[in-house]
Amino acid sequence: MVSIFFGLRSGCPRLQKIKCPVLALNGEKDLQVSAADNLPLIQKTLEDAGNKDVTTKSLPELNHLFQHAESGSPVEYGAIEETMSPEVLPDDRGLGRQA
């Protein structure tokens, strides 16, 4: 798995090179990587570079660590008992489970 979210910007050369199927996930309460800003940019950049097998999902109520959270603040991380929400784990089709 490759993580390329830091410094993501329009026309990101790293994203343009990815030709395999992509599933990009982002928690809606992620205060470190904005789902609203990043998911559309990921989708557009990959598709503009010719990758048509792109799925993006914004996951409600989840923080940066894909945990259910009150505010999404990193201050909460240590108090949340959930390791990772089951909605993020792959189902039998290889995509996240539906909530």
Side-chain angles (χ1 to χ4, degrees):
M1 181 181 299
V2 178
S3 179
I4 53 177
F5 300 109
F6 298 106
L8 183 63
R9 61 196 177 284
S10 182
C12 179
R14 288 183 183 171
L15 278 178
Q16 292 171 341
K17 293 178 182 179
I18 298 172
K19 303 302 179 195
C20 63
V22 173
L23 172 61
L25 304 174
N26 215 147
E28 285 184 6
K29 289 189 175 181
D30 187 338
L31 300 181
Q32 295 170 271
V33 180
S34 167
D37 294 337
N38 285 279
L39 290 178
L41 185 56
I42 291 168
Q43 180 102 25
K44 181 177 180 348
T45 301
L46 288 167
E47 289 179 351
D48 286 354
N51 189 337
K52 301 302 180 196
D53 195 355
V54 179
T55 302
T56 61
K57 285 183 152 187
S58 183
L59 303 166
E61 304 301 316
L62 301 186
N63 66 14
H64 186 72
L65 303 178
F66 298 118
Q67 302 165 318
H68 286 91
E70 292 289 322
S71 70
S73 171
V75 174
E76 293 179 320
Y77 293 172
I80 298 173
E81 291 189 29
E82 180 176 53
T83 302
M84 180 182 281
S85 170
E87 294 122 82
V88 180
L89 302 174
D91 66 13
D92 60 355
R93 295 166 292 155
L95 297 173
R97 291 188 177 106
Q98 298 299 313

